[in-house]
Amino acid sequence: MARPDKVDAVEEMRDRFRDSNGAVVTAYTGLTVAQLQQLRRSLGENAHYRVAKNTLTKIAANEAGITAIDDLFTGSSAVAFVTGDPVEAAKGLRDFAKDNPNLVIKGGVLDGKALSADEIKKLADLESREVLLSKLAGAMKGKQSQAASVFQALPSKLVRTVDALRAKQDEQGGAE
């Protein structure tokens, strides 16, 4: 019979897996409690860092329908559940791992797709969602103004061409 505290832990992690759009599995051996608290603060509001037993975490992930990361639950493992911008959370983990080599990113899952540690590091190299959206908006605005210029140029070019043809016909008509 399962102990109630373990059942509660599995249920809580299962809900976190379901409610998050991503999860990053890390190894944390050698980190102090103070360093783990610092890591949790560096992840901000859009991620929750949880240290748990591998067996319980694997059960919770499987109950949430995530089986692609089962092989990551070996050794000391902790999971960063990402509920906001995954780029921001990946940057927080990458930056913390640079300063604290005991934190090792094993891999993760984003929107149901398994990610390797290298893919998570590439995700961390992206700009934030807000920056990308503003760049997209700027590009779209620029393309719209270019299109408007082209559309305005076509009628005026047509008018100039017609005027040039009329002038040429007038010259030819006057020369005969």
Side-chain angles (χ1 to χ4, degrees), residues 25-33 35-36 39-40 49-54 74-79 96 100-106:
V25 181
T26 64
Y28 65 93
T29 302
L31 292 177
T32 65
V33 172
Q35 288 171 321
L36 288 173
L39 172 60
R40 286 182 174 105
Y49 193 74
R50 168 82 191 249
V51 175
K53 292 185 178 285
N54 288 330
T74 58
S76 67
S77 298
V79 181
F96 188 85
N100 301 283
N102 288 334
L103 180 77
V104 178
I105 298 172
K106 294 181 176 183

Side-chain angles (χ1 to χ4, degrees), residues 19-145:
D19 295 341
S20 63
N21 57 350
V24 179
V25 181
T26 64
Y28 65 93
T29 302
L31 292 177
T32 65
V33 172
Q35 288 171 321
L36 288 173
Q37 288 175 339
Q38 180 185 359
L39 172 60
R40 286 182 174 105
R41 281 192 301 272
S42 71
L43 290 175
E45 295 292 320
N46 67 343
H48 175 80
Y49 193 74
R50 168 82 191 249
V51 175
K53 292 185 178 285
N54 288 330
T55 308
L56 299 180
T57 308
K58 189 185 285 189
I59 291 170
N62 290 335
E63 285 183 8
I66 300 170
T67 58
I69 57 174
D70 282 353
D71 57 325
L72 300 178
F73 299 117
T74 58
S76 67
S77 298
V79 181
F81 297 99
V82 182
T83 54
D85 185 8
V87 173
E88 187 178 325
K91 283 182 184 189
L93 287 167
R94 179 201 58 197
D95 295 345
F96 188 85
K98 282 181 185 176
D99 297 335
N100 301 283
N102 288 334
L103 180 77
V104 178
I105 298 172
K106 294 181 176 183
V109 64
L110 179 62
D111 294 327
K113 180 187 177 289
L115 299 176
S116 68
D118 290 334
E119 289 173 320
I120 292 172
K121 290 174 185 169
K122 286 179 185 175
L123 183 66
D125 292 336
L126 291 175
E127 293 174 331
S128 71
R129 182 177 189 272
E130 289 77 20
V131 171
L132 291 174
L133 287 174
S134 65
K135 284 185 175 184
L136 177 64
M140 290 175 68
K141 182 179 179 185
K143 293 297 179 192
Q144 286 177 344
S145 64

